[in-house]
Amino acid sequence: YTFEGEPRHYIFDSMGKFLNRIIKESLCPIWAGYVEYVGSSRAQIHRLYTLEQKDDFSELLKRYFEAKRTFEDWHFKYKKDSFLNKWIREFGLGKSISVVQDKEGLGVQIYVCKENGDKRLLADEGYGMTQLVSILLQIETTILSLDGIYANKTYGLESFSPKMYKNTLRPITITIEEPEIHLH
């Protein structure tokens, strides 16, 4: 037995997604967009970041991994981490950033991959670089978490069929408190 083309055991998943969209649309209409906040002094320098901590950077890393895991590219063409790595190259800081989670999922190491093939821990690059990477990681996480706007709406409710997707992204504003801090 199927419902909207999905097996019966996925009906509750679909219903949960549908209810989540109804609540989101009710509390924050499409025209209002979303606002994300990035505070000053976002990250402390660590050789290993643990996801069990309750600081802002650990929470950002958790959101980053969740966004990367759930990222669906059916609604727009975007290669994961392309924004992050583009701006690392643009600023002349290296070739790319590698965010590596250990096998148990408790610790994270962040590497800066240099043009010559060397990999260095972000902690060895200094506090300013850590702050810049945290801003870029926040933007990358926001990109990976983007919601689309659906074409089929009935009485203000979004359709939960991906076939009805309209290739439009929900506007998001990222506010960054003191982006220039520690960048000397």
Side-chain angles (χ1 to χ4, degrees):
Y1 174 75
T2 63
F3 176 76
E4 292 272 327
E6 294 187 25
R8 182 173 47 200
H9 59 279
Y10 290 120
I11 291 174
F12 292 111
D13 270 352
S14 294
M15 192 57 97
K17 289 178 185 176
F18 178 69
L19 292 174
N20 188 16
R21 283 193 207 141
I22 290 171
I23 291 169
K24 277 184 181 177
E25 190 172 331
S26 299
L27 297 177
C28 188
I30 290 171
W31 51 265
Y34 290 112
V35 176
E36 301 246 350
Y37 171 74
V38 180
S40 62
S41 297
R42 292 152 290 283
Q44 299 298 318
I45 295 179
H46 295 291
R47 299 183 85 61
L48 179 71
Y49 295 95
T50 62
L51 297 179
E52 294 177 348
Q53 292 175 328
K54 298 295 180 196
D55 62 4
D56 289 340
F57 195 67
S58 295
E59 293 298 319
L60 172 60
L61 288 172
K62 284 187 235 177
R63 287 194 325 273
Y64 169 74
F65 284 116
E66 180 62 20
K68 206 168 179 181
R69 186 184 66 75
T70 61
F71 177 72
E72 297 177 26
D73 63 354
W74 57 266
H75 56 280
F76 69 105
K77 301 297 180 212
Y78 179 75
K79 185 178 175 192
K80 294 176 187 176
D81 295 334
S82 60
F83 176 87
L84 179 65
N85 292 326
K86 174 190 186 270
W87 286 102
I88 290 297
R89 286 189 305 275
E90 206 56 45
F91 287 130
L93 303 172
K95 182 179 178 184
S96 64
I97 292 287
S98 177
V99 183
V100 181
Q101 193 171 15
D102 68 1
K103 292 178 184 175
E104 292 80 28
L106 299 175
V108 175
Q109 288 185 309
I110 302 174
Y111 293 96
V112 178
C113 304
K114 299 294 186 175
E115 295 292 338
N116 62 6
D118 289 346
K119 282 175 84 172
R120 293 187 55 173
L121 278 171
L122 179 62
D124 296 336
E125 296 293 315
Y127 194 70
M129 176 87 161
T130 304
Q131 298 308 306
L132 177 63
V133 168
S134 72
I135 291 172
L136 295 176
L137 199 57
Q138 172 66 50
I139 296 169
E140 178 72 31
T141 302
T142 301
I143 292 170
L144 292 173
S145 303
L146 283 173
D147 285 334
I149 299 172
Y150 290 80
N152 184 18
K153 291 187 159 246
T154 310
Y155 303 110
L157 304 178
E158 297 176 353
S159 165
F160 59 96
S161 171
K163 296 173 190 161
M164 301 304 296
Y165 188 82
K166 182 179 177 184
N167 198 10
T168 304
L169 298 173
R170 187 182 309 268
I172 293 180
T173 302
I174 299 175
T175 59
I176 303 172
E177 181 182 347
E178 297 183 285
E180 77 285 354
I181 196 167
H182 307 294
L183 301 177
H184 40 272

